[in-house]
Amino acid sequence: MKILAIETSCDETAIAILECSGDSKSATFSILGNALISQIDIHKEYGGVFPALAKREHAKNLVPILEAALEEAELLKEDTQIISEGTRAKISEILAREPGLCEVFLDFISESERPDIDAIAVTQGPGLEPALWVGINFAKALATIWNKPLIAVNHMEGHILAALAQQEAPSTKSEEPNKSQAEKLKIENPQFPILALLISGGHTELVLMREWLNYELVGETRDDAVGEAFDKVARMLSLPYPGGPEISKLAEEFRLSGPTPKFSLPRPMIHDNNFDFSFAGLKTAVMNLIKNESASATGFSETKKKAIALEFENAVTDVLWHKTSRALEETGAQTLVIGGGVSANTHIQRTFIEKIKNDHPQVDLRIPSASLSTDNAVMIALAGYYRYLRNEFSTDFKANGNSPLI
Ligand code: KG4
Ligand code: ZN
């Protein structure tokens, strides 16, 4: 079956079309179309994501992104469609809060054939509500006009499934050698329990899955999310948004240059007898360090900036690893997944790969590929398919900025 998935929870407008088959034990996916527009350059000016602007950009991007994804999937066929007054009125009602989008949407629909899609999945939350609403209303309009079932997806479930998915090597025998082959993913028989370390701009939590799509909260942040801490510390260091990749780059430069930083930052709650996290204190410690270093005789140099980036990244990684390692012991998890935008961090990945090999060799570690770690619509399609297999369709649902997994 083919699923079309829409993601607009934050600053990425994304639509993916996947051919899905198999059951939850062994599922395979072909990415037929995958289109994404990042709004990062627009939000950079504000040092973070500005919700009203995100909503406006999603509304502007959705139809072009839909066309691009359908085109890539070879499902875009020009055709004149007559839209009845009744349907027009229904769509206008669904997209009442997006009048610009409504007009472009109806134009697009009246000029293209209904594609061969079996279901539509869309992120319901968590995320920025104004941004989520645009995607949801757009999905509802598509489901209405194409008469397809609609699936509401939890964004964090998407991150978990994207981490579980493994890339399949492209087949060497291609029937059409000049045609690029669709990227293939598979989720095959992961061993339960599965522990997920979810680290993104809005979340930091350890979640246990004893059976498919059934979650228990093991630990979570008591204040800032890891990605948020990366972004805030980056701002203190005058680095652009999003801060994670910028800090990672500076830290790596300092690491390769040889010396170790002459200062140390706290590892909050690292030895506490629980699985919770706290990053607000670490952020304040960085602020104080910058103040002290700026007031020192040598002043605040580029080298010190890199050293702070490194020490911050090391502190975060130490805490994440210690808590995760103890959670693995306590829960007896057989599989560990790291999901969410911060899982793209090279140092975190390297540390986890090495430590799992040494300390928990029986654990199967799954890290998403680079393109699947930050927000995308492929992960929404994966989660959508697992919900589709359970016949979990919804027609009337609302955006939920805090949508819980558990
Ligand atoms: O999952 P995501 O794309 O969006 C949310 O759902 O929040 O995560 C975005 C977060 C941002 O805070 C960003 O700074 C962080 O992921 N991030 C990174 C890296 N790439 C993205 N943090 C550390 N290192 C990276 N390489
Ligand atoms: Zn995310």
Side-chain angles (χ1 to χ4, degrees):
M1 63 81 73
K2 288 191 192 72
I3 199 160
L4 181 143
I6 302 164
E7 156 65 33
T8 64
S9 71
C10 192
D11 56 355
E12 250 91 49
T13 319
I15 294 186
I17 301 164
L18 268 65
E19 173 84 56
C20 318
S21 60
D23 55 20
S24 56
K25 271 200 185 129
S26 174
T28 46
F29 305 89
S30 274
I31 304 176
L32 305 179
N34 187 13
L36 182 146
I37 294 182
S38 170
Q39 303 174 6
I40 283 177
D41 285 342
I42 292 161
H43 296 287
K44 250 184 189 152
E45 253 180 73
Y46 301 87
V49 183
F50 194 59
L53 203 55
K55 173 190 149 90
R56 195 191 73 192
E57 289 299 308
H58 287 312
K60 198 172 84 190
N61 295 338
L62 275 165
V63 170
I65 282 280
L66 173 65
E67 280 183 292
L70 287 169
E71 173 105 61
E72 192 190 345
E74 296 180 357
L75 292 171
L76 187 65
K77 294 193 180 69
E78 271 185 38
D79 191 18
T80 308
Q81 305 282 332
I82 312 289
I83 308 172
S84 72
E85 276 313 307
T87 308
R88 229 168 239 281
K90 222 191 253 173
I91 297 300
S92 301
E93 198 185 319
I94 296 171
L95 293 174
R97 283 166 178 266
E98 280 56 70
L101 172 60
C102 185
E103 210 174 296
V104 183
F105 177 83
L106 285 169
D107 282 350
F108 167 73
I109 292 297
S110 60
E111 290 162 5
S112 56
E113 202 176 88
R114 185 192 302 202
D116 171 24
I117 296 279
D118 300 285
I120 295 166
V122 63
T123 308
Q124 179 182 18
L128 303 169
E129 280 192 11
L132 289 163
W133 267 120
V134 192
I136 292 173
N137 288 335
F138 185 72
K140 285 181 178 172
L142 272 183
T144 304
I145 214 138
W146 288 344
N147 194 21
K148 300 293 172 195
L150 189 58
I151 305 160
V153 170
N154 182 293
H155 181 86
M156 301 316 288
E157 185 162 88
H159 276 306
I160 294 178
L161 290 171
L164 277 174
Q166 292 170 314
Q167 252 158 332
E168 281 215 314
S171 111
T172 45
K173 288 183 282 176
S174 172
E175 282 164 16
E176 293 172 72
N178 294 326
K179 193 168 175 283
S180 65
Q181 288 183 46
E183 189 184 337
K184 286 201 162 63
L185 299 171
K186 62 171 183 196
I187 299 181
E188 207 165 45
N189 216 12
Q191 296 302 299
F192 288 85
I194 298 171
L195 181 70
L197 171 66
L198 298 176
I199 40 179
S200 70
H203 287 77
T204 300
E205 53 200 19
L206 277 164
V207 165
L208 190 70
M209 217 198 305
R210 290 188 197 275
E211 53 184 78
W212 277 116
L213 315 192
N214 216 320
Y215 304 99
E216 289 166 37
L217 184 67
V218 176
E220 64 186 333
T221 183
R222 295 190 181 172
D223 40 59
D224 291 355
V226 192
E228 192 182 352
F230 266 100
D231 294 338
K232 287 178 178 166
V233 165
R235 211 177 311 163
M236 291 177 205
L237 296 173
S238 312
L239 298 168
Y241 172 84
E246 299 288 332
I247 291 194
S248 171
K249 202 170 94 203
L250 291 193
E252 206 62 14
E253 279 173 26
F254 196 82
R255 204 173 272 120
L256 293 172
S257 72
T260 45
K262 294 195 173 48
F263 39 74
S264 66
L265 286 166
R267 270 72 173 151
M269 298 179 72
I270 196 164
H271 297 301
D272 290 14
N273 195 20
N274 57 48
F275 301 103
D276 286 347
F277 304 90
S278 165
F279 295 103
L282 178 57
K283 200 179 61 191
T284 313
V286 172
M287 198 145 72
N288 292 333
L289 186 57
I290 295 172
K291 262 190 214 146
N292 292 343
E293 291 298 326
S294 304
S296 72
T298 48
F300 193 67
S301 61
E302 270 306 299
T303 311
K304 280 185 185 168
K305 197 176 186 176
K306 288 184 185 176
I308 293 176
L310 173 74
E311 177 56 11
F312 169 76
E313 192 178 64
N314 283 344
V316 166
T317 309
D318 278 355
V319 175
L320 292 176
W321 170 253
H322 272 83
K323 296 277 172 174
T324 306
S325 176
R326 278 207 306 109
L328 285 172
E329 276 158 26
E330 190 122 327
T331 59
Q334 300 293 300
T335 305
L336 171 65
V337 308
I338 318 180
V342 184
S343 71
N345 184 280
T346 320
H347 181 63
I348 296 176
Q349 289 193 6
R350 202 169 39 211
T351 305
F352 273 67
I353 292 170
E354 196 184 298
K355 300 241 182 223
I356 284 288
K357 205 160 81 192
N358 291 332
D359 302 354
H360 304 273
Q362 76 289 357
V363 171
D364 176 12
L365 172 64
R366 306 272 182 104
I367 299 175
S369 62
S371 63
L372 292 188
S373 55
T374 48
D375 291 349
N376 62 85
V378 172
M379 68 186 213
I380 304 306
L382 300 178
Y385 183 58
Y386 275 73
R387 294 289 167 186
Y388 170 91
L389 290 173
R390 296 175 169 219
N391 290 319
E392 289 183 23
F393 304 111
S394 346
T395 44
D396 200 22
F397 58 90
K398 292 187 163 72
N400 182 352
N402 300 312
S403 185
L405 246 189
I406 294 129

